[in-house]
Amino acid sequence: MDGQELLRCERIAVSLAFEAGLMMKSASGRNKEISEKDSFADLVTETDKAIEKFLFTEFKRQFPDFRFIGEETSAGVGLTVEPTWIVDPIDGTMNFVHTFPYTCVSIGLTVNKVPVVGVVYSPFLSKLYTARKGWGAYCNGQPISVRQSCKSLNEALLLCEFGGQRDEEKRNAVFRNLEAVGWLSHGVRCLGSAALNLCCVADGSADANWEFGLHVWDMAAASLILTEAGGVVMDTKGGPLDIMSRRILGACNRNIADELSRTLPIHLELERD
Ligand code: LIP
């Protein structure tokens, strides 16, 4: 895909993200249909479904040959080499239900299973994060970059999540990892959106994040935004990131990534997307 085609894809994804943002704003605090997915802590609203349907229809109309993977309609659909839009209609649905503003729409495009366009838009925070592979990362049109100067966990502000899976194995992993890492750092924040967490590392407002249990639609767009901002995304054990593996570690530089990876006592192995 050449530079012109990438730019066209980004521009269309941005205009659709703004429309999805308007749908989120007009439905905020007024959801009638809220249902549980895998647990009481994993919810979906009628707005998630409406936004995904809107994005699917628009992307199919404008890119009939591209594939589409969305959180609410494509669980279990594998990733292929074909150009694929990967959409999370509302990342941070629990926050959306509670009207906590840390929520966004996330739109990624992969080619040969590699993210090449990333758009993350938070209408409540008025933040639009964008990136095209090889063209850098931006927030509201301004270039962003990670806090390269962070030298060790003792200087780092970290982000992680409890997630929606609420079983003993997950409880043990979350709290053992939090205890081991949290005490060594400037602090850990659990704010509720994997995509925005990676974008906070990309703009330097946080230094690293990790999570087990997320999905390809939570990380496809934001993982590109973080790497284009000069950061590192990888598997929690240090190998290359596999966006279908259900786990991620993002950081402002390799030293922090490796130190965090070494310090996490538990690396959950989860069923792939
Ligand atoms: C959420 C992720 C978050 C994770 C939640 C949930 P959703 O995505 O952004 O990081 O901890 O369990 O998966 O479901 O709001 O799109």
Side-chain angles (χ1 to χ4, degrees):
M1 203 176 272
D2 66 20
Q4 277 310 310
E5 183 59 7
L6 274 187
L7 184 57
R8 174 175 170 264
C9 290
E10 184 190 71
R11 287 194 171 137
I12 291 170
V14 166
S15 69
L16 294 178
F18 280 137
E19 298 208 37
L22 291 175
M23 293 170 76
M24 286 166 78
K25 278 194 148 174
S26 62
S28 179
R30 282 201 288 270
N31 281 289
K32 298 184 196 57
E33 290 165 37
I34 301 172
S35 46
E36 292 183 8
K37 295 203 286 188
D38 297 345
S39 82
F40 67 89
D42 185 14
L43 304 180
V44 62
T45 71
E46 78 260 32
T47 311
D48 293 77
K49 296 173 184 168
I51 291 176
E52 182 153 324
K53 188 164 176 234
F54 162 73
L55 292 172
F56 177 83
T57 308
E58 281 303 311
F59 279 125
K60 272 296 161 198
R61 187 173 64 79
Q62 304 201 46
F63 302 90
D65 306 329
F66 288 23
R67 296 182 77 240
F68 182 93
I69 293 178
E71 174 171 7
E72 309 311 340
T73 54
S74 319
V77 170
L79 185 60
T80 68
V81 295
E82 294 148 283
T84 305
W85 290 107
I86 302 180
V87 164
D88 189 338
I90 302 181
D91 189 50
T93 298
M94 183 61 80
N95 290 344
F96 180 66
V97 167
H98 288 273
T99 69
F100 186 72
Y102 196 78
T103 187
C104 63
V105 55
S106 175
I107 301 172
L109 173 65
T110 59
V111 174
N112 296 323
K113 303 184 179 184
V114 175
V116 292
V117 170
V119 172
V120 170
Y121 175 53
S122 175
F124 306 104
L125 301 175
S126 303
K127 287 200 171 179
L128 171 71
Y129 293 95
T130 57
R132 274 173 285 137
K133 194 167 177 54
W135 295 81
Y138 300 80
C139 182
N140 295 343
Q142 299 304 310
I144 55 172
S145 67
V146 295
R147 194 168 78 97
Q148 278 291 0
S149 60
C150 183
K151 293 187 197 52
S152 79
L153 285 184
N154 292 155
E155 303 170 12
L157 185 68
L158 305 173
L159 302 167
C160 80
E161 299 295 338
F162 287 14
Q165 179 196 346
R166 292 298 167 86
D167 54 33
E168 278 316 303
E169 184 193 28
K170 187 69 180 292
R171 178 210 293 254
N172 183 45
V174 166
F175 291 108
R176 289 265 317 275
N177 287 336
L178 258 179
E179 186 190 9
V181 172
W183 215 239
L184 299 176
S185 70
H186 275 185
V188 180
R189 309 288 180 263
C190 303
L191 297 171
S193 161
L196 284 174
N197 288 349
L198 291 160
C199 289
C200 284
V201 180
D203 71 16
S205 56
D207 300 301
N209 80 299
W210 77 91
E211 186 163 358
F212 299 95
L214 69 179
H215 293 274
V216 64
W217 42 77
D218 297 312
M219 56 176 136
S223 60
L224 177 71
I225 291 166
L226 178 47
T227 48
E228 286 296 321
V232 172
V233 291
M234 65 186 206
D235 179 76
T236 59
K237 281 189 175 175
L241 174 67
D242 171 353
I243 57 174
M244 301 300 276
S245 71
R246 310 279 314 281
R247 62 190 198 182
I248 192 169
L249 189 158
C252 54
N253 60 50
R254 188 77 209 196
N255 291 341
I256 295 292
D258 290 341
E259 187 183 356
L260 178 54
S261 174
R262 281 195 308 274
T263 312
L264 290 168
I266 300 182
H267 296 261
L268 282 181
E269 306 281 349
L270 295 155
E271 194 191 330
R272 292 172 57 74
D273 263 337

